[in-house]
Amino acid sequence: MFDFELSSRSKKVMKKMKDKKLIRKYLDRIEEICESPYSGDKKLGDLEGTYGVHVSYIDGTHCILYFVIEDREIIYIILLGPHERFYEEAKRVWREMKEE
């Protein structure tokens, strides 16, 4: 089983969340990813090298974007949040990460 690490942006998003049930949904989904790292949707194009999963909740669909660090057995959570405009921000964040 893999461990996970949250990006600084993901930590900020989680910290701002007030809904404990939604936070639990995210963490449950992340645990599932840790058990089966390649189960997410493999992304192509601007997000090549990443995987995405959805989290269904009463206010709509939420997303988690991550990549696998195989040699360290880490799931690195790049971004998480509501589906609305998620992939626009995800592309920008992923591009910035690759440039570092």
Side-chain angles (χ1 to χ4, degrees):
M1 183 156 144
F2 282 57
D3 258 341
F4 73 92
E5 187 176 320
L6 296 172
S7 69
S8 58
R9 176 158 289 153
S10 295
K11 288 178 188 174
K12 286 178 189 174
V13 170
M14 290 287 270
K15 206 173 208 178
K16 288 181 181 179
M17 282 185 203
K18 307 254 187 282
D19 188 336
K20 302 276 189 226
K21 289 181 183 178
L22 178 57
I23 293 168
R24 182 76 255 158
K25 282 278 232 182
Y26 274 114
L27 293 175
D28 287 346
R29 194 69 166 113
I30 290 169
E31 285 178 22
E32 290 173 14
I33 295 167
C34 289
E35 290 174 11
S36 185
Y38 299 101
S39 61
D41 296 328
K42 190 173 187 177
K43 300 300 178 187
L44 303 171
D46 292 339
L47 294 172
E48 188 171 358
T50 67
Y51 295 83
V53 295
H54 292 120
V55 176
S56 296
Y57 195 60
I58 54 176
D59 65 347
T61 302
H62 294 254
C63 304
I64 300 173
L65 185 73
Y66 67 96
F67 68 91
V68 180
I69 305 173
E70 185 74 39
D71 59 337
R72 291 179 40 212
E73 295 187 341
I74 298 282
I75 303 300
Y76 189 81
I77 308 298
I78 301 166
L79 188 64
L80 46 82
H83 189 268
E84 185 179 337
R85 294 194 185 117
F86 180 84
Y87 287 101
E88 293 169 18
E89 184 174 356
K91 289 175 186 178
R92 187 177 50 74
V93 170
W94 181 236
R95 189 172 40 252
E96 289 171 4
M97 286 181 69
K98 290 191 319 186
E99 290 173 358
E100 290 179 354

